[in-house]
Amino acid sequence: MPQISDRVQTFTDSVIRRMTRISNTYGAINLSQGFPDFDPPKAILNRLAEVALEGPHQYSITFGAKNLREAIAEKQGKAIGRAIDPETEVLVTCGSTEAMMCAMMTICNPGDKVLVFSPFYENYGADAILSGAEPIYVPLVPPEYDFDIQQIEDGFKAGAKAIIVCNPSNPCGKVFSRDKLMSIGELAVKYDAYVITDEVYEHLVYAPYSHTCMAGLPGMYDHTITCNSLSKTFSITGWRLGYLIGSSVVVETAKKVHDFLTVGAAAPLQEAAVTGLHFGEEYYTELLELYTKKRDFLLDGLDRIGLKHNVPQGTYFVMIDIQEFLDLPQFQGFTDLEFCEWMIKNIGVAAVPGSSFFRENINNYIRLHFARSEETLKEALTRLERMKSLLP
Ligand code: GLN
């Protein structure tokens, strides 16, 4: 057989998405890959129905339909606190997955170093390898998931060209305070580096925490590449609509990467999604209320059962500490992945093994998500209760 690339041998497919496939095979309740089981807003769906008949059905402008870029610039300009030029500072991508990859390929030369927090959303590992970058990991230490700013400075001193900041953070639910973001931003400026942000959970930040856009901090706009998406905000993960915002220098280059990677996101879906971006503030308030309820419902249930968990400040993920199970004789030698497979088959609930997020040798966490109807969460809790009965 002719050889295939060495580069792609160094990573696996996404464990998050693999868990969905395994979950489907066994008909488990899927709390692994994070996506809602409820419908997107009616107004967006109605618009999609119109678009089905009216079009567009051919390519949109490669960099994103003009009205979508304008709507993104308008909404995110308010969040960032600055006028954003939809022509030169916004690029529409196929999900923020593509935005992240575009950001990395836009700024990295082979061998460049990039700082990545650990635990991290697993795409960043593959993004780094595919763009030729070498990750330097900075621990976010459980249970608070705090970091040591000195380690970030050390990374920049070692030549890191960028740092990836997922805020709110998948999988640990950390929301970075304005002060913490400032301290990271100041270092990025001092060492003339970029901050690549992943802000797809920006609207899922629970009181008393609040979301700060890195790009809006003093002096940070030109140092920040903001990656975001409409997936979580409008419950349309399957539409694969994301975007990147940055200085025109960055965006004009990212446009070339995008042009040859995907040409463009689906035109009819871009058109329908504009409707969502025109929603008023009340939409985001209701979305947050909905997720706050779901979070409280799941966390209360976990407390009742007695499963140890963190309290996410943002996102729709919760980390469960499974050490007490791994200590049982029947799980001796189990990896967290094997534990998750056991859970799918025997408990009927799918989770993501924590090791797919941690660089360190940490195997005692699993991640659940709560973007599910209350009924589904209730059934998941009933099933999880059975797990607890294994304990002495
Ligand atoms: N961000 C979601 C998760 O971590 C899934 C995103 C994806 O699979 N593209 O589960």
Side-chain angles (χ1 to χ4, degrees):
M1 278 279 282
Q3 291 282 300
I4 54 172
S5 146
D6 290 339
R7 188 164 43 185
V8 296
Q9 314 271 17
T10 57
F11 59 95
T12 69
D13 61 316
S14 150
V15 177
I16 297 176
R17 297 182 272 280
R18 193 192 307 162
M19 294 321 289
T20 284
R21 296 193 294 274
I22 303 177
S23 179
N24 290 348
T25 305
Y26 291 93
I29 294 181
N30 186 6
L31 304 187
S32 61
Q33 184 185 14
F35 59 89
D37 68 350
F38 40 90
D39 281 342
K42 210 70 214 138
I44 296 182
L45 297 182
N46 289 340
R47 181 69 192 125
L48 181 63
E50 284 171 11
V51 171
L53 298 176
E54 291 168 8
H57 293 296
Q58 310 309 326
Y59 302 123
S60 73
I61 296 293
T62 296
F63 313 124
K66 189 174 163 61
N67 57 349
L68 179 60
R69 277 182 287 115
E70 285 170 352
I72 291 169
E74 170 83 20
K75 173 178 177 285
Q76 295 311 92
K78 282 189 205 131
I80 292 172
R82 170 189 200 284
I84 291 170
D85 183 350
E87 292 303 325
T88 60
E89 295 178 325
V90 179
L91 169 65
V92 174
T93 54
C94 298
S96 79
T97 295
E98 191 207 339
M100 289 296 299
M101 183 61 87
C102 270
M104 293 284 285
M105 292 189 121
T106 295
I107 62 169
C108 289
N109 289 312
D112 278 349
K113 297 181 176 66
V114 173
L115 290 162
V116 179
F117 286 111
S118 167
F120 59 95
Y121 174 48
E122 61 179 357
N123 278 39
Y124 311 153
D127 291 345
I129 293 166
L130 288 169
S131 60
E134 182 196 321
I136 302 179
Y137 294 96
V138 175
L140 284 175
V141 185
E144 296 303 322
Y145 294 100
D146 282 331
F147 64 88
D148 175 1
I149 191 74
Q150 188 56 48
Q151 292 189 335
I152 294 182
E153 176 138 30
D154 292 347
F156 281 129
K157 271 191 192 148
K161 191 159 192 180
I163 179 166
I164 298 177
V165 179
C166 181
N167 181 36
S169 189
N170 180 2
C172 65
K174 177 93 184 166
V175 171
F176 291 85
S177 68
R178 186 185 162 88
D179 284 353
K180 292 278 185 199
L181 291 175
M182 287 280 280
S183 64
I184 296 170
E186 277 161 14
L187 289 176
V189 172
K190 180 173 168 188
Y191 291 94
D192 203 23
Y194 284 104
V195 182
I196 301 174
T197 68
D198 174 348
E199 301 182 43
V200 305
Y201 303 98
E202 65 179 333
H203 292 292
L204 306 185
V205 175
Y206 307 104
Y209 302 95
S210 58
H211 182 68
T212 305
C213 293
M214 180 62 100
L217 294 175
M220 284 312 294
Y221 190 76
D222 287 344
H223 280 268
T224 306
I225 306 177
T226 303
C227 299
N228 209 328
S229 103
L230 308 185
S231 293
K232 275 72 184 183
T233 302
F234 299 115
S235 309
I236 48 172
T237 61
W239 289 25
R240 314 307 304 125
L241 291 178
Y243 57 91
L244 177 155
I245 291 175
S247 69
S248 56
V249 175
V250 164
V251 172
E252 290 303 321
T253 306
K255 280 178 174 176
K256 292 192 285 181
V257 179
H258 163 77
D259 199 357
F260 290 106
L261 267 181
T262 63
V263 178
L269 301 181
Q270 291 190 53
E271 179 59 40
V274 172
T275 302
L277 288 160
H278 289 152
F279 289 160
E281 268 312 305
E282 65 287 353
Y283 172 75
Y284 303 100
T285 309
E286 280 170 24
L287 183 77
L288 183 58
E289 277 170 11
L290 180 78
Y291 274 104
T292 304
K293 258 203 207 146
K294 292 184 187 304
R295 182 188 75 146
D296 295 348
F297 185 81
L298 182 65
L299 298 189
D300 286 352
L302 293 174
D303 287 339
R304 239 186 355 262
I305 297 171
L307 291 172
K308 293 181 188 146
H309 62 85
N310 71 328
V311 177
Q313 302 166 350
T315 73
Y316 47 47
F317 302 113
V318 55
M319 300 287 270
I320 315 274
D321 186 342
I322 53 160
Q323 189 59 52
E324 55 187 342
F325 294 96
L326 296 180
D327 289 341
L328 295 172
Q330 63 264 49
F331 296 118
Q332 282 306 301
F334 266 51
T335 62
D336 56 355
L337 174 61
E338 285 163 343
F339 187 81
C340 286
E341 286 169 346
W342 174 85
M343 265 181 73
I344 289 175
K345 291 176 199 165
N346 295 279
I347 301 293
V349 175
V352 180
S355 60
S356 53
F357 306 104
F358 283 100
R359 175 64 179 175
E360 302 81 2
N361 190 17
I362 294 178
N363 290 297
N364 61 311
Y365 292 98
I366 58 172
R367 191 196 75 176
L368 298 180
H369 81 85
F370 49 87
R372 288 286 178 264
S373 69
E374 206 161 299
E375 205 178 28
T376 305
L377 292 176
K378 198 168 165 197
E379 176 57 25
L381 285 167
T382 305
R383 295 181 184 195
L384 289 171
E385 201 154 1
R386 293 211 298 268
M387 196 162 113
K388 188 69 187 181
S389 64
L390 294 172
L391 293 174

